[in-house]
Amino acid sequence: MPEKVDSRLRSQIDALGLHGVANVHHNLSVAALYERALTAEEGHLAADGQFVVETGEHTGRSAKDKFFVREPGSETHVDWGETNKPFEAAKFDALFARVADYLTGRDIYAMDGYAGADKRHRLPIRIVSEFAWHSLFARDLFIVPDNLPDGFSPEFTVVDAARFSAEPERDGTRSGTFILVHFGRKLVLIGGTRYAGEIKKSIFTVMNYLTPLRGVLPMHCSANIGERDKDVAIFFGLSGTGKTTLSADTHRPLIGDDEHGWSDNGVFNFEGGCYAKVIKLSQKAEPEIWAASHRFGTVLENVIMDPESRTLNLDSEAKTENTRSAYPLEFIPNMVPGSMGGHPKTIVMLTADAFGVLPPISRLSPEQAMYHFLSGYTAKVAGTEKGVTEPTATFSTCFGAPFMVHHPTVYSKLLGERIAQHGVTCWLVNTGWSGGPYGVGKRMAIAHTRAMVNAAIEGRLASATFRKESFFGLEIPNDVPDVPDSVLDPRNTWSDPAAYDAKAKHLAKLFAENFAKFEAQAAPAVRAIAIHP
């Protein structure tokens, strides 16, 4: 079926510098993208209609290959350092020209849409790719209306030339892979990797830069809403802390599972889809994600599939432990229509403390919430990475350090203002170990954690009495409905209290060392409650 040629679109593509491309396949339907991707042998059709792809060498993000172009409009806003590394503007222009030459005579795909469910704060975007399946991924993950307005023009464009590899000595990159963000030209240039997560996270990075300048707090979190009271709860947490699991509640529809903004109007999802990790995905434990991952229109990355029956083996790590499923929000039945909610009533900060010393639940003052937001603590356990033989503390500021562009205190200040303005109750929840560190103690029972989180969100701890522990200044409730009192104070769960004290002092010291990076710029009230062992 012939495609309509949009002269305005073609002019915009030419203006980018991609005037040599052959055909621009614009906003194709899911079925049309399947046809083109299958014809080009980009992947395979699975038994239930999913599109299964291999991403090759890169099965996750290439964080060390991400750079920001140093240019006058943004350089004073960027928190330059190990995460936000500078790239020369002239080198970017030269590399973009080489990518344009590479794409000359080739067909490309352009998917238009938005980042941000709130029309007052959404960002018009265009994803340009050489793979049809990358365009399908963009259709699944971003907000793509059935009818875009006449005269749609993207504010930011991603150009993904997945099969083009850079030459580091010539191009100034670290390797053949590159993710280059140019705020001046409003461009993201990606190459040398087929991993589609780079597209998703590059737009999140852009939102993390733009929205604070517009008075909106960007958040790496999940969010849900009460069916009866319409009360919003948000969940911060790094991988493995239970962010997705605890925010998935049949009685509380989901606003989103990963990226949100908090404006003067409330919370809104940045995305129009989900990018779920599916290793060892269970139909019984996570039926909604399982069902969404077994539908026509879903993209599966690096999942093992039987070549004859085309059935999936979701337990296999043969290609990677980071197997992924990308699907639109409409595939999840318990979603909030419009992906927006009011101002949060509750904030839950999740950590999986493998040292076994943090309380399973504790109430945070606004200043403590800002402190723990800056800290973004969790812990890796032995065996999760090569060379990790004992629990290792991990601090990812704002629970999303790789995507934060401004100095961390910019985000924590916005969070503190929102908490104060709306009287938000904040909690720190430890989904990690109790009774001892990893290898000695046991992981906190999910039933107990869920009961604690539900009690906090539903306001059933409002009249509880609290006691303050001595190492982190945290307030521990004396009683939580449906949770044994014996598990609430972590020191009491250890057989050797002196060993607990030593481990708690060790972790408190790690917190203090990490906070030293932000102390000079942190608010005085936050510095006043900082942990000093």
Side-chain angles (χ1 to χ4, degrees), residues 238 368-378 394-399 511 514-515 518 531:
L238 301 174
Q368 285 177 316
M370 293 170 70
Y371 178 89
H372 284 278
F373 184 64
L374 282 170
S375 299
Y377 166 71
T378 192
T394 298
F395 295 94
S396 184
T397 184
C398 308
F399 296 97
F511 264 92
N514 177 72
F515 184 69
F518 318 119
I531 297 166

Side-chain angles (χ1 to χ4, degrees), residues 354-416:
F355 295 100
V357 298
L358 289 180
I361 186 169
S362 49
R363 185 174 62 186
L364 300 176
S365 69
E367 295 78 19
Q368 285 177 316
M370 293 170 70
Y371 178 89
H372 284 278
F373 184 64
L374 282 170
S375 299
Y377 166 71
T378 192
K380 297 174 184 176
V381 298
T384 55
E385 291 184 8
K386 185 177 180 181
V388 178
T389 58
E390 59 183 28
T392 304
T394 298
F395 295 94
S396 184
T397 184
C398 308
F399 296 97
F403 320 114
M404 302 298 159
V405 184
H406 300 277
H407 191 274
T409 54
V410 170
Y411 305 102
S412 67
K413 181 175 182 289
L414 279 170
L415 179 70

Side-chain angles (χ1 to χ4, degrees), residues 34 38 43-53 136 292-301 303-314:
Y34 262 60
L38 289 169
H44 300 280
L45 194 64
D48 294 295
Q50 315 95 307
F51 194 75
V52 181
V53 298
L136 177 61
S293 300
H294 288 76
R295 289 184 59 170
F296 176 79
T298 292
V299 175
L300 298 176
E301 285 185 330
V303 169
I304 298 298
M305 179 181 70
D306 184 276
E308 300 299 326
S309 68
R310 303 298 179 95
T311 56
L312 308 177
N313 178 1
L314 296 177

Side-chain angles (χ1 to χ4, degrees), residues 507-527:
L507 182 58
K509 181 173 181 289
L510 297 179
F511 264 92
E513 291 172 350
N514 177 72
F515 184 69
K517 297 182 294 185
F518 318 119
E519 194 158 12
Q521 291 179 264
V526 177
R527 293 201 298 269

